[in-house]
Amino acid sequence: MKQALAAWVAQEEERDRLTLEALGDVDANRVIDHQAIQEWADSLNTDEPLSVPF
């Protein structure tokens, strides 16, 4: 039980760290427009896929 609880706490701490990192990216305007991602993903099934958006 103790090991399972420790693993869960570690997982939640990592999730919190990743969330704070992502929020920092948003604050620094390091984001990619959803529409650009959707168009890129949709193009992957075509003969001429788009390049990855930056």
Side-chain angles (χ1 to χ4, degrees), residues 2 8-10 14 18 22-24 26 28 30 33-35 38 46 51 53:
K2 185 176 180 180
W8 177 80
V9 168
E14 178 66 3
L18 291 171
L23 289 171
V26 170
R30 290 187 299 264
D33 179 68
H34 173 77
Q35 186 63 34
Q38 188 65 54
T46 68
S51 53

Side-chain angles (χ1 to χ4, degrees), residues 30-48:
R30 290 187 299 264
V31 296
I32 301 173
D33 179 68
H34 173 77
Q35 186 63 34
I37 294 293
Q38 188 65 54
E39 290 172 2
W40 168 76
D42 290 343
S43 79
L44 295 177
N45 290 327
T46 68
D47 291 334
E48 295 184 31

